[in-house]
Amino acid sequence: MMKNTVNHQIFIKIAIVLVLIGLLFSIIFYLSAKKQLEKAMHNEIKETSQIIKEAMMTAEDSQKVIERLIDEKLLAASKEIAKQLRGRDINDITRKELIELKKRVDVYDISLFVKKGDDIVVAQASDPNEVGLSSKEWGYWFTGFQQLMAGKEVTVGKGYYTKHFWSGPISRSEWENKYYKYAYYYDGTTSFMINPYILDQDIYALTHNHGPAELIKKITRSHNTIAEIAVINVPAWLKGEKNEVIEPDIDLPVLFGKHSFTLEEDRNFFKKALKQKETLNVSFSKNNVSYTKFYIPLEKNRVLTIVSNYDKEMIVYHQLMFLIIGSFIVCIMIIFIILQNVTKKHLKPLDMITQHIASISKGHLAKTLQIHEKNEWGLIAKNLNDMVRNINSLISEVKKEINELAQLSALLNQTVDTSLQSIDELSSSFSGNWEKTFSELDIYTNELIDYSDHILHKIESIKGDFPEKEDLAALVHKMTIALHSFHMFTKQLVAQITDMHLMSYQAVQDIDLAITKLTKVSQELNEKIKVFQLE
């Protein structure tokens, strides 16, 4: 069992203080590091989102420029096709001619539209699958066709228009899953509307290496903390399986990147991010890996999602925490060892003082404490030695007084015994003499009373009157009364003497009892004080 020493208490208190300091430091470090990590994460997300936004803007601008160049190319091709087919009847134009013509003007394919009742259909094309297609259900495309073939300005708000020419946005083919850039030309010199078009890959190939999709790939490959980036077209994404991609810019759910980390909260967070115009985030776990998904609102109802994984950074952070805590524990152990050696040296007099006090508590007052340090320990030792000497002198005086008390008690006891013996002998002698004297007095008194009574009767029996008779009778009567009074006085005197004798005897016995108790107490004190070992 560990002793409850000052040394031990000091160690415990220092340990508590150091542990509290360590915990406080660890908590502050943890919160600070976590805050810095979160700040770095948000800054990285912010920088990444800004880079992607700028890349999208640049790509859009580049795409617009390229599309305008393509539009100019398609316009030139349309004019050349119109020049080659001008004055020709639609029924005279063959598919073979159109194939040769598309190669000459460098387009993917050519289709020719004609009015048919309230519809506008493909009458001839270099691709036979296009022939017979109706545009009546094509929405604003059909409106644009009507305006263009009526010689009016195309005002559908989509694509690019110049005189006699309109090119729509990139859209999917009606009969195959490919996307094209379609252009339409009608100047009134032909009975049909000319439709040259090219594949969208021919457009995107020019911006592919520097576009958002390629940039997203580079970011996810170079940043260990970013697991996935996607640009979500929210209206199209919300349609789910019902969504149909006609025009990629407005119908594709994921415009750039990948969106494999789908969550149940995505729908609400997409709407909320667009409505509040602020970045939102949610944490989740997948395959025992922790992720944070950020929702960053963009223009045109788009949301940039970035999924980050900071587990590797957290591992480094935890390793750093373990290193700091381990170093702190080692420092505490070193401090304890130093403190133990220092306190053991400086608290050595305390052990000597403790042992000396324990010896005093057992009655050993003959020893002195030998501490000659010029500090508090030396002062305590000096005061303790002075105290022991004072106690030593006090007990010596008490012993001396106890011995004197014992001697006085013995002397009083002897005197009382002698007095009791003398009183007893005197009382016995006095009692015997007084009993005899009082008995004789009682007999003589009774006889005198009887004689007095007899004389009184004799006087009363004398016949005749004479002057002295009554006086004599009265005198004898008074003498009788006096004798009776004397008799009663002697009895009372005997009783008082007897009571006085008994009271004096009882008093002497009480004194003897008190002396006996005093003797016993002095003996007990003498026995108790023997435990002290004096100088």
Side-chain angles (χ1 to χ4, degrees), residues 109-255:
D109 269 315
I110 301 173
S111 296
L112 303 177
F113 284 82
V114 297
K115 288 185 178 180
K116 190 176 182 181
D118 59 352
D119 195 2
I120 298 176
V121 300
V122 178
Q124 186 60 277
S126 59
D127 187 341
N129 295 300
E130 294 279 325
V131 178
L133 289 177
S134 170
S135 64
K136 190 175 183 180
E137 304 297 330
W138 288 6
Y140 70 85
W141 293 80
F142 183 68
T143 302
F145 295 167
Q146 289 179 315
Q147 291 175 343
L148 188 64
M149 295 188 76
K152 299 178 180 179
E153 181 183 353
V154 178
T155 59
V156 297
K158 299 280 187 176
Y160 169 74
Y161 170 78
T162 188
K163 188 177 181 180
H164 305 311
F165 178 83
W166 176 65
S167 64
I170 295 173
S171 58
R172 191 183 67 180
S173 170
E174 185 71 15
W175 61 272
E176 64 177 339
N177 193 24
K178 288 184 179 180
Y179 295 87
Y180 300 92
K181 177 69 173 176
Y182 293 97
Y184 304 92
Y185 183 83
Y186 184 78
D187 59 359
T189 60
T190 60
S191 60
F192 46 84
M193 181 175 64
I194 300 169
N195 169 218
Y197 55 93
I198 62 175
L199 276 171
D200 67 336
Q201 286 89 339
D202 296 336
I203 299 172
Y204 289 131
L206 299 174
T207 58
H208 177 74
N209 293 333
H210 303 285
E214 188 64 22
L215 181 61
I216 288 172
K217 289 180 181 179
K218 291 179 180 178
I219 291 173
T220 52
R221 283 196 298 264
S222 60
H223 289 70
N224 294 328
T225 57
I226 296 178
E228 181 181 87
I229 299 175
V231 177
I232 306 298
N233 182 13
V234 176
W237 190 90
L238 293 175
K239 292 178 182 179
E241 295 180 356
K242 295 180 181 180
N243 182 58
E244 185 178 3
V245 180
I246 303 299
E247 297 179 23
D249 286 346
I250 61 175
D251 295 333
L252 276 176
V254 181
L255 297 176

Side-chain angles (χ1 to χ4, degrees), residues 40-58:
M41 178 175 68
H42 282 84
N43 288 337
E44 185 176 27
I45 296 300
K46 186 177 179 181
E47 292 174 1
T48 302
S49 63
Q50 188 63 32
I51 291 171
I52 293 173
K53 286 179 184 178
E54 292 175 357
M56 289 176 63
M57 291 175 62
T58 303

Side-chain angles (χ1 to χ4, degrees), residues 7 59 65 126 153 178 196 249 270 272 275-276 287 325 401 414 424-425 465 471 482 494 496 510 517 528 534-535:
N7 200 353
V65 172
S126 59
E153 181 183 353
K178 288 184 179 180
D249 286 346
F270 286 148
K272 194 174 180 180
K275 184 178 180 181
Q276 297 181 357
N287 299 326
I325 293 172
E401 291 178 1
Q414 184 179 0
D424 190 54
E425 291 175 356
D465 292 326
D471 293 334
V494 170
Q496 290 177 356
D510 291 341
K517 289 182 178 179
K528 288 180 179 178
L534 306 178
E535 293 178 358

Side-chain angles (χ1 to χ4, degrees), residues 466-478:
F466 52 92
E468 292 86 3
K469 181 180 178 180
E470 290 182 2
D471 293 334
L472 184 60
L475 182 61
V476 172
H477 182 68
K478 289 181 180 179

Side-chain angles (χ1 to χ4, degrees), residues 172-407:
R172 191 183 67 180
S173 170
E174 185 71 15
W175 61 272
E176 64 177 339
N177 193 24
K178 288 184 179 180
Y179 295 87
Y180 300 92
K181 177 69 173 176
Y182 293 97
Y184 304 92
Y185 183 83
Y186 184 78
D187 59 359
T189 60
T190 60
S191 60
F192 46 84
M193 181 175 64
I194 300 169
N195 169 218
Y197 55 93
I198 62 175
L199 276 171
D200 67 336
Q201 286 89 339
D202 296 336
I203 299 172
Y204 289 131
L206 299 174
T207 58
H208 177 74
N209 293 333
H210 303 285
E214 188 64 22
L215 181 61
I216 288 172
K217 289 180 181 179
K218 291 179 180 178
I219 291 173
T220 52
R221 283 196 298 264
S222 60
H223 289 70
N224 294 328
T225 57
I226 296 178
E228 181 181 87
I229 299 175
V231 177
I232 306 298
N233 182 13
V234 176
W237 190 90
L238 293 175
K239 292 178 182 179
E241 295 180 356
K242 295 180 181 180
N243 182 58
E244 185 178 3
V245 180
I246 303 299
E247 297 179 23
D249 286 346
I250 61 175
D251 295 333
L252 276 176
V254 181
L255 297 176
F256 306 104
K258 294 181 180 179
H259 189 233
S260 59
F261 288 90
T262 56
L263 304 175
E264 294 180 358
E265 298 91 340
D266 283 346
R267 179 177 293 272
N268 292 331
F269 274 91
F270 286 148
K271 293 179 180 178
K272 194 174 180 180
L274 290 176
K275 184 178 180 181
Q276 297 181 357
K277 302 296 182 182
E278 62 181 15
T279 301
L280 306 175
N281 66 81
V282 61
S283 298
F284 65 97
S285 180
K286 185 175 182 181
N287 299 326
N288 296 323
V289 180
S290 298
Y291 296 95
T292 301
K293 188 172 184 178
F294 292 85
Y295 301 82
I296 304 162
L298 304 175
E299 296 179 353
K300 299 180 181 179
N301 291 326
R302 298 173 180 179
V303 172
L304 174 65
T305 63
I306 301 177
V307 179
S308 62
N309 169 22
Y310 279 81
D311 276 0
K312 293 181 179 179
E313 281 70 15
M314 289 302 294
I315 290 172
V316 175
Y317 166 68
H318 288 148
Q319 289 175 347
L320 182 60
M321 279 291 295
F322 289 140
L323 178 63
I324 291 174
I325 293 172
S327 302
F328 181 74
I329 292 172
V330 171
C331 289
I332 289 177
M333 293 177 66
I334 293 172
I335 290 171
F336 275 174
I337 293 170
I338 295 172
L339 283 174
Q340 188 176 12
N341 293 329
V342 171
T343 54
K344 187 176 181 181
K345 179 180 178 182
H346 288 279
L347 294 179
K348 185 177 180 181
L350 181 61
D351 293 334
M352 296 173 64
I353 292 171
T354 303
Q355 294 174 4
H356 188 63
I357 291 173
S359 176
I360 292 172
S361 67
K362 295 178 181 178
H364 300 288
L365 303 176
K367 296 180 180 180
T368 57
L369 189 59
Q370 301 297 325
I371 297 177
H372 304 290
E373 295 187 11
K374 294 181 180 180
N375 51 26
E376 288 84 351
W377 297 126
L379 182 61
I380 291 172
K382 179 180 177 302
N383 292 335
L384 193 58
N385 289 331
D386 292 342
M387 182 188 71
V388 172
R389 277 194 293 270
N390 292 334
I391 294 173
N392 203 322
S393 300
L394 178 62
I395 293 174
S396 297
E397 292 177 2
V398 170
K399 274 190 172 185
K400 190 182 295 183
E401 291 178 1
I402 289 173
N403 290 332
E404 292 176 357
L405 181 62
Q407 292 174 4

